Amino acid sequence: MNRRQLLRTGAASLAMPFAAPPSSSVRGAEGNPSGVTNHTAIQKVCAWPNLKRLPDGTLVVFIFNQPCHGLWEGDLDCWASEDNGKTWRFRSRTAHHEPTTNRMNCAAGFAKNGDLVVLCSGWSNRAPAGTLSGPKSRVLRPWVCRSSDGGRTWSVGMKFPEAPATAVGRDNDLIPFGDIQTAADGSLCTGAYLSKGDMREGYLVRSRDDGRSWTELAPLNPVGNETAIHHMGGGRWLAASREFREKRDVHLELFSSTDDARTWQRKMPLSLPMQVTGHLTSLADGRILLSCGNRCWNNFGVDVRLSDDKGQTWSPPIRIADCPQPDCGYPSSAQLDDGRIVTAYYTQVSADFHYEMRVATWNPNQFSVEGRPVA
C-alpha cells in the first residue's frame, strides 16, 4: 500500500508515532489556486472557537476571552460577524464566571425551536486575570445557556447530569465539547468527557426537552476526550475523538453509530499523532469535512480532509493555515451560501500570553478528492 492509499483509507498505521508528511501547503497568497486566505479576527484570546451560522447568515463564535489555557478567571463570550467572517464584534457574554472560577469549555448548537444552546463548564480555584493560579482545581458542572435572539441575551440553567461513578468520574464533572445536533428521534445530542490525570472517558449526552435539561449518557470512547459528533441523517452518526493511547500517540480516531447515537463502533484513525482536535460537518455537495489542528514539529497549523463516501475513506490532509507555535488549532468550520468555508481556529503567537483567533476562508471545490488543488 502506498502513502496515498494509506492516508485515504485511514489504515491503522496512521497511529504510528512517526513524523507527519507535509500537508498540501497553501498559505493564502493572492492568486493561489487554492483560494485560501487567512487573517487575525480577535486578539488576546486563547479562544478554542466554536463557530455557528445563524439562519440570517450571521456567523457567531463562542470563545474563552483570556489569553491563557484557563490559568485564571475568565468568561465564555459570543462574537458575531455579519460579513462572512471578515470582521467580528463582541455580541454578548454567554457565561459570566463566578469569583475564583472561569467558564471556558463549551458545546454549542441549535434547539429545534431555533434557540442557540450552549453548554459551558470551567474550573474552580482560579486567580484574578493576569495572575497564575495554583494547580489544585476541579471541573465545574456545566451550565445550560440559551438564547432566542441570536446570542444577544442569555438565560442560564443548571440541569446537567452527574458524571458516572467510575474512577475517572468520582468527584469529577463532565466537560462538554463540540456541536449540539438533533437526532433522528428529535432529541438533542452532544459530546462530553471526563479527564483525571492520564485517564479519559468520552460520552454522548442527550436532552429530551429541546436542550433545557440533559439527562442521558451513552459511552462513546473509553480512552478519548474532545469528541466532535456529526449526524449523517436517519440513525447514522460519525464522531472524531481525540484519543489517548499513550503519551506519544494522541490522535483522532473515527467512530460511527447506526442506532441514533446510542452505541458506537470504532472505525479507523483519522490522523497521525499530534494532529488534534477535530470538527466534522457536511458540505452542500454531500462531502464530509474534517478540520483538525496539526501540532507536528515544524508543521504547525490547521489541516482538513474530505470524504465523498460518508466517511468510509478520506482525502490526504490539505493545509489551510500555518501557525507560528504548536499551541494552536481547535478549528470549527461553517459553509457560506456561495460554497466557501469559514474555519475559525486559535494560535499562540509568542510565549508571553499572546494568543489570537484567526479565520481561514477557502473553497472546497478547489480541491479534488485526492486533496490536490484544482487548476
Side-chain angles (χ1 to χ4, degrees):
M1 178 179 291
N2 61 35
R3 177 173 290 176
R4 181 180 300 167
Q5 290 171 320
L6 183 148
L7 284 169
R8 183 161 172 76
T9 59
S13 55
L14 268 178
M16 293 175 59
F18 55 81
S23 303
S24 302
S25 182
V26 289
R27 306 179 188 277
E30 292 297 324
N32 191 312
S34 68
V36 179
T37 60
N38 281 269
H39 71 277
T40 296
I42 307 170
Q43 292 186 310
K44 299 181 180 180
V45 293
C46 192
W48 306 300
N50 192 316
L51 181 69
K52 296 290 171 280
R53 190 167 185 259
L54 302 182
D56 66 359
T58 299
L59 295 171
V60 294
V61 68
F62 301 98
I63 61 172
F64 180 56
N65 65 5
Q66 297 296 317
C68 68
H69 271 244
L71 297 177
W72 53 66
E73 295 179 345
D75 317 281
L76 189 74
D77 285 353
C78 176
W79 286 63
S81 172
E82 297 179 353
D83 56 7
N84 294 331
K86 295 177 183 177
T87 61
W88 295 81
R89 291 188 177 184
F90 175 82
R91 177 161 282 195
S92 65
R93 187 138 293 162
T94 304
H96 294 255
H97 78 278
E98 296 175 321
T100 71
T101 72
N102 62 33
R103 290 284 164 174
M104 48 180 273
N105 301 110
C106 77
F110 296 96
K112 289 182 293 181
N113 72 348
D115 287 356
L116 278 168
V117 178
V118 176
L119 309 176
C120 185
S121 70
W123 298 88
S124 69
N125 194 30
R126 300 293 87 184
T131 305
L132 296 182
S133 306
K136 292 184 179 181
S137 62
R138 62 177 179 85
V139 177
L140 302 178
R141 184 75 56 87
W143 289 344
V144 182
C145 307
R146 195 178 187 100
S147 174
S148 59
D149 57 6
R152 292 176 176 84
T153 61
W154 297 88
S155 63
V156 178
M158 307 293 177
K159 296 181 179 180
F160 202 83
E162 293 184 5
T166 63
V168 183
R170 193 171 297 116
D171 301 320
N172 203 357
D173 270 301
L174 289 156
I175 301 172
F177 177 82
D179 288 346
I180 296 171
Q181 297 198 334
T182 304
D185 67 0
S187 62
L188 298 188
C189 298
T190 194
Y193 66 93
L194 294 169
S195 180
K196 182 180 289 185
D198 292 332
M199 298 184 293
R200 279 89 178 171
E201 289 179 354
Y203 292 88
L204 189 286
V205 190
R206 193 181 300 263
S207 169
R208 296 286 182 181
D209 58 2
D210 208 23
R212 292 174 177 83
S213 63
W214 297 77
T215 57
E216 299 180 24
L217 289 175
L220 202 161
N221 183 359
V223 289
N225 73 352
E226 294 179 336
T227 298
I229 63 168
H230 182 60
H231 190 199
M232 305 282 288
R236 299 181 59 198
W237 292 73
L238 294 177
S241 183
R242 183 183 184 183
E243 180 162 299
F244 292 75
R245 284 291 176 182
E246 57 180 85
K247 289 184 178 180
R248 295 184 63 197
D249 181 9
V250 182
H251 68 278
L252 286 179
E253 188 81 6
L254 184 68
F255 289 76
S256 70
S257 172
T258 57
D259 60 2
D260 211 18
R262 290 173 176 82
T263 61
W264 295 85
Q265 299 78 42
R266 182 182 302 274
K267 302 300 289 185
M268 67 180 79
L270 283 173
S271 73
L272 293 166
M274 301 307 295
Q275 295 175 356
V276 293
T277 292
H279 178 257
L280 292 165
T281 191
S282 289
L283 304 184
D285 61 10
R287 287 183 291 177
I288 305 299
L289 169 67
L290 167 72
S291 316
C292 75
N294 189 330
R295 297 176 173 182
C296 294
W297 193 249
N298 288 334
N299 198 29
F300 312 137
V302 175
D303 297 336
V304 298
R305 300 182 74 181
L306 294 162
S307 173
D308 60 1
D309 56 10
K310 307 300 182 183
Q312 297 299 310
T313 60
W314 297 82
S315 74
I318 302 162
R319 174 54 54 94
I320 64 165
D322 291 322
C323 293
Q325 300 283 336
D327 190 357
C328 66
Y330 283 73
S332 184
S333 298
Q335 190 167 30
L336 305 176
D337 287 338
D338 62 9
R340 291 178 301 152
I341 306 296
V342 174
T343 300
Y345 60 99
Y346 89 99
T347 185
Q348 185 180 22
V349 180
S350 63
D352 56 345
F353 298 105
H354 186 174
Y355 286 84
E356 59 191 35
M357 188 187 95
R358 295 180 180 179
V359 168
T361 305
W362 57 285
N363 187 350
N365 296 325
Q366 296 297 109
F367 296 100
S368 69
V369 71
E370 290 82 15
R372 297 174 178 173
V374 176

